[in-house]
């Protein structure tokens, strides 16, 4: 049986989850605080830090673990210069604290920039108001988002420069090699979502700022690179690229708009 099925079951070259963790940790600045949600990202990072000693300077906090009362009692001493405002992350308990209070306490020191991967465990701002955490905003900069105080004003060049320094580098598993419920498939999905996140955020920012042309150019170039790199781009890549080029006031962009919308329609009709 082993000989018959060895080739099919051979996982000796499967480093995808490890490399996925390295993608998140590798580009973070020194002494970063990394707040995460999700099994794959939590465990890949925990393995790299605890077993391989990779990027021990990064303070890695799993939001779901913070909701247990034992976490602060047992784990708080392992975090350097991290202050837990109360016993448990739960704003609805008397002994609990909110993510807003945690960030106010820990995420305002520029020497320890804070990042979010996997989204918030709980939106403390109502969904109809955009969700998130009061007093803070997230800026996509790669596989993670930079957490900044709401009053922080950063320029487009500064945002783009930071994002370029944290561009995700990962060779994802081939489409269809692993089942939908596998961790390897999660790494594939997350990688392409991370690559799409920045150009989409630039497009959104441009629209909110009277079709800012510099932001649209940045978004358009990244959408083109993304579509070229992806082996089978999903329909929304083409749709968002089409929107971007439709708003860019440069010669030739109308043709790019039409081409991307045509591909979008072909994809949606499949």
């Amino acid at each position: 049986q082993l000989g018959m099925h060895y080739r099919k079951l051979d996982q000796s070259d499967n480093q995808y989850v490890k490399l996925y963790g390295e993608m998140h940790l590798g580009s973070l600045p020194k002494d970063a605080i990394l707040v995460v949600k999700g099994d794959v990202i939590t465990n890949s990072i925990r393995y790299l830090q605890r077993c391989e000693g990779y990027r021990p300077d990064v303070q890695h906090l799993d939001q779901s673990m913070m909701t247990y009362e034992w976490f602060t009692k047992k784990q708080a001493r392992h975090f350097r210069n991290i202050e837990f405002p109360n016993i448990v992350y739960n704003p609805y308990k008397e002994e609990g604290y909110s993510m807003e209070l945690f960030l106010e306490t820990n995420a305002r020191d520029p020497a320890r920039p804070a990042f979010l991967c996997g989204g918030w465990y709980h939106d403390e701002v109502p969904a109809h108001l955009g969700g998130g955490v009061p007093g803070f905003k997230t800026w996509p900069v790669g596989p993670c988002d930079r957490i900044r105080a709401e009053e922080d004003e950063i320029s487009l060049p500064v945002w783009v420069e930071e994002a370029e320094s944290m561009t995700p580098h990962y060779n994802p598993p081939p489409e269809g090699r692993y089942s939908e419920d596998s961790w390897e498939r999660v790494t594939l999905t997350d990688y392409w979502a991370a690559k799409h996140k920045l150009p989409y955020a630039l497009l959104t920012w441009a629209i909110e700022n009277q079709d800012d042309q510099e932001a649209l150019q940045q978004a358009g170039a990244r959408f083109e690179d993304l579509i070229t790199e992806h082996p089978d781009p999903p329909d929304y890549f083409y749709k968002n690229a089409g929107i971007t080029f439709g708003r860019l006031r440069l010669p030739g962009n109308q043709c790019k708009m039409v081409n991307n919308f045509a591909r979008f329609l072909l994809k949606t009709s499949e």
Side-chain angles (χ1 to χ4, degrees), residues 1 16 23 29 85 122 132 151 169:
Q1 290 291 321
Y16 294 115
M23 176 183 75
H122 168 71
E151 67 270 16
H169 297 290

Side-chain angles (χ1 to χ4, degrees), residues 185-256:
R185 188 58 179 260
V186 171
T187 72
L188 172 69
T189 303
D190 282 2
Y191 171 70
W192 290 117
K195 295 284 283 187
H196 176 264
K197 185 165 52 175
L198 178 60
Y200 182 73
L202 286 164
L203 169 60
T204 303
W205 189 90
I207 293 172
E208 292 172 351
N209 289 272
Q210 293 78 48
D211 280 350
D212 183 276
Q213 293 296 292
E214 183 181 355
L216 288 171
Q217 288 184 55
Q218 293 279 357
R222 283 166 173 75
F223 275 126
E224 287 185 313
D225 291 343
L226 178 62
I227 289 170
T228 299
E229 183 183 350
H230 199 293
D232 185 24
D235 56 6
Y236 64 92
F237 281 18
Y238 292 115
K239 180 185 74 173
N240 291 330
I243 294 170
T244 301
F245 289 117
R247 291 174 174 270
L248 257 176
R249 297 186 291 272
L250 289 174
N253 282 296
Q254 292 302 310
C255 293
K256 290 183 177 181

